[in-house]
Every structure is written in C-alpha cells, then in structure tokens.
Amino acid sequence: MKVKELKEKVLNGKLIGKEEALFLAKEAPLKELTEAANEIRKHFCEDKFDICTIINGKSGKCSENCKFCAQSSFYDTHIKEYSLLNSKAIVKEAKYNDERGVLRFSIVTSGRKLSDKEIDSVCESIKEINKNTSVSVCGSFGLLSEEQYKKLKEAGLTRVHNNLETSRKNFKNICTTHTFDEKVQAIKNAKNAGLNICSGGIMGLGETMEDRIDMALELRELGVLSIPVNILNPIKGTPFENNKLLTNDEICRIVAVYRFLIPNGAIRLAGGRGLLQDKGESCFLSGANAAISGDMLTTSGITIKEDMNLLKKIGYKPALLNE
C-alpha cells in the first residue's frame, strides 16, 4: 500500500476504507501524506476557504457531564454563566463579523437542548440577523426534535452544528448523560428538516487513531461535509485538565487523513487552534480548508484580521463550501 496509490484512488472518485486510512495514519511519511492531502483538497475544493465565527449565546449550567467541557455543571471551572442572550446582543455580534468578511455566524448554546420558549427567541434572532447581515446563520442547540429544527429552518437557519466528539466505542469514556446514538438521531432530525450539518470532534481526549478514523467514517456515512477538528484545550477543573497537548504534526496527520476520507468536505480547524505554534497554517496546507475564527465558547481564539491575513498569504479565498 502506498500514499500515491491511495491518492489516485481518491482523485478518481473512489472512497478509501478503514484499513487504508489506518495505514495513512500510522505508517505513511508525514510530508508525503500532507502533500497528497493538499492535492486532494485542491482537486475537490479548489482554493475556497470556509470561515465562520461563533457566539456563546447561553453559557454554563449544562446538565451534561462531557469531561472536556468548562460549561458542565458537574465541574468547577469558574466560567461566566448567563441565560440566553437577547436578539439585540446576538445581532450586534453578527453585524460585527459580517463587516469583517466572515461568511458564517453560529449561535451556540449550552445545555442538553433548548426549550420551546428559547427556540422561539432564537428564531427571532435568526430572522433579525438575516434582515441586517449577509452571513449564513448556523446554530448549535443540543438534541432537538425534527419539528424544532423545522421551526429554526423556517426562521432562516441554514446549518446545524452537533459534534459527535469521538468514536461510538469511545463515547462512553467522554460522556454518560447522553449517548452517541442520541447525537446521531439529532443529526438525522436536522437533516430531515432540510438543514445542512456540521459535525466533528475533539482530538486529545485520550482517543486512539482508530477512534478518530471511526468517527470520520460515521460522519461520512451520515453525509456530513463540514467537519470541525477541535484540539483539546485542557480546562482546569475538568476531568481532562491534565491531558497531554497534541503536537502540530499530530494535528496535520489527522486533517490529512480526514481529507482522504472525506475529499470534498470542509475540514474545519476549530477550538484549540490557538495552541498551535503556527495557528494552523501547516494544517491549511495539509488538507484543512475551513476554520472557526475569533473567540471560542470559553477560551480565546485568533482574531478575524489575523486569519484573513493568513488566508491571503497562503492563497485561499473566503467562500461558502457545500451549501
């Protein structure tokens, strides 16, 4: 098995399987792998780069026990807690990002799921954003029903974000208050409501390379074409506060393998990118072609201006992918 042979297979429109992906992940020389992944990215996505920002629309007091999360009520992390923001605050942030060339803007809320009353409030915010900006509105609102997602779509939501976080096998080691299958069902509910899906995971939770590949294969099966690759930023007070940080090379290898597995996807560097010495530049030449810019939910990120300068430097053009 060779990297070049697998690259040609993908370029010819065929999918690689788990064993081939494991070879790339464990045996392929890194430089050869990342250069091949970059070729695949250019072939399927050209030099388009999908850039988005998020707002922490509701913070903390979450009923779920995800071991990586600062917003869980199970852990003492001293974050700022607040209820759902009003439309004025959310629209103001959307305008700020729109004026700086951001293409997508996502409202992210803590908790297992929003209540019907909260969904009504979010729908008003979405309508106001669409009236006042040109951004595409996304949302991450938990484990909602198909009917709830339909209501959000009617208000103008375009895409739902719901991370699988890790593989089916490893999920029980990450969270026990909801299941992997509940995550999958929420994604299917959103798809059935006619919404696009953004779903990925967090690297550095103690998972194996096989777990990472299994998650990508599950995403491919679900038809997901926007795949956030988060890098664990160990938060003091969470069970994973002492987890070892992944290296730049490890992240480059992960995004390269994901490019081979989902060749036409937006492989999106997300939370934790600021931990990388080059802020993700090498990953953007290794198969990644999307990013969350600005601040994350409870941690600081990289400014929109810095990211726009970086994209210009390496020859990318901001554009919506897989609409």
Side-chain angles (χ1 to χ4, degrees):
M1 203 180 296
K2 294 181 180 179
V3 174
K4 185 177 179 181
E5 291 170 1
L6 294 178
K7 179 189 75 175
E8 292 303 322
K9 181 176 180 177
V10 173
L11 291 175
N12 287 323
K14 296 176 182 176
L15 297 176
I16 69 165
K18 181 173 177 176
E19 292 306 313
E20 291 165 316
L22 282 169
F23 160 76
L24 294 173
K26 294 181 177 183
E27 298 181 45
L30 181 61
K31 188 173 186 291
E32 186 182 1
L33 172 66
T34 56
E35 287 177 353
N38 201 38
E39 280 186 62
I40 293 169
R41 185 269 304 167
K42 283 194 173 195
H43 177 83
F44 286 97
C45 305
E46 301 173 334
D47 288 323
K48 297 174 182 175
F49 193 97
D50 197 312
I51 187 166
C52 66
T53 54
I54 61 177
I55 183 171
N56 192 358
K58 178 185 176 185
S59 180
K61 297 181 181 178
C62 182
S63 62
E64 308 306 288
N65 67 353
C66 306
K67 291 181 180 178
F68 55 82
C69 188
Q71 301 201 63
S72 172
S73 60
F74 286 74
Y75 318 124
D76 187 10
T77 58
H78 306 289
I79 63 159
K80 189 176 180 181
E81 297 179 343
Y82 50 84
S83 56
L84 185 66
L85 296 177
N86 60 34
S87 289
K88 184 178 179 181
I90 293 173
V91 174
K92 180 183 177 182
E93 191 70 14
K95 283 182 177 179
Y96 175 89
N97 288 282
D98 183 38
E99 288 164 1
R100 283 153 183 79
V102 170
L103 306 175
R104 300 187 193 276
F105 178 75
S106 183
I107 306 165
V108 183
T109 57
S110 67
R112 183 182 180 89
K113 63 178 181 178
L114 291 185
S115 67
D116 286 336
K117 184 179 178 181
E118 288 173 322
I119 286 173
D120 287 341
S121 177
V122 167
C123 284
E124 289 306 309
S125 298
I126 293 167
K127 289 173 185 176
E128 287 300 310
I129 292 170
N130 284 325
K131 276 184 196 173
N132 291 282
T133 77
S134 60
V135 295
S136 182
V137 188
C138 311
S140 181
F141 306 126
L143 306 174
L144 302 185
S145 68
E146 185 176 330
E147 289 306 310
Q148 289 170 316
Y149 281 129
K150 282 180 180 176
K151 195 168 190 178
L152 290 160
K153 186 176 190 301
E154 287 168 8
L157 192 74
T158 60
R159 175 173 283 182
V160 164
H161 170 261
N162 192 328
N163 273 346
L164 291 181
E165 308 300 7
T166 189
S167 69
R168 180 183 295 274
K169 183 176 69 176
N170 191 45
F171 191 85
K172 65 182 181 296
N173 300 319
I174 308 304
C175 176
T176 58
T177 49
H178 60 268
T179 67
F180 189 89
D181 283 320
E182 285 177 297
K183 287 268 195 183
V184 170
Q185 187 57 55
I187 289 171
K188 289 179 177 178
N189 290 344
K191 285 189 73 176
N192 290 340
L195 289 156
N196 288 332
I197 305 298
C198 178
S199 182
I202 304 175
M203 309 301 151
L205 302 177
E207 77 285 349
T208 65
M209 189 58 85
E210 184 176 4
D211 286 318
R212 296 164 184 160
I213 289 168
D214 284 345
M215 185 186 76
L217 290 170
E218 189 97 32
L219 292 168
R220 190 170 77 179
E221 183 69 22
L222 287 165
V224 176
L225 291 175
S226 174
I227 303 95
V229 174
N230 295 274
I231 305 157
L232 180 69
N233 187 350
I235 303 294
K236 187 174 175 57
T238 66
F240 289 161
E241 67 176 333
N242 295 316
N243 278 32
K244 184 181 175 183
L245 293 175
L246 297 187
T247 67
N248 207 89
D249 283 355
E250 285 175 304
I251 301 301
C252 284
R253 185 173 289 276
I254 291 166
V255 299
V257 173
Y258 275 30
R259 176 57 62 193
F260 270 81
L261 286 166
I262 307 176
N264 59 334
I267 310 298
R268 188 180 306 276
L269 286 192
R273 176 162 61 101
L275 298 171
L276 300 175
Q277 286 185 334
D278 65 358
K279 310 305 181 190
E281 181 175 350
S282 55
C283 292
F284 298 140
L285 298 172
S286 302
N289 63 337
I292 300 178
S293 191
D295 289 342
M296 301 299 120
L297 296 176
T298 60
T299 57
S300 59
I302 299 161
T303 67
I304 297 167
K305 184 178 180 181
E306 284 178 291
D307 276 339
M308 290 301 185
N309 288 338
L310 175 59
L311 298 188
K312 188 174 181 181
K313 173 188 171 185
I314 57 181
Y316 275 114
K317 297 176 179 64
L320 294 177
L321 287 164
N322 301 314
E323 282 295 280

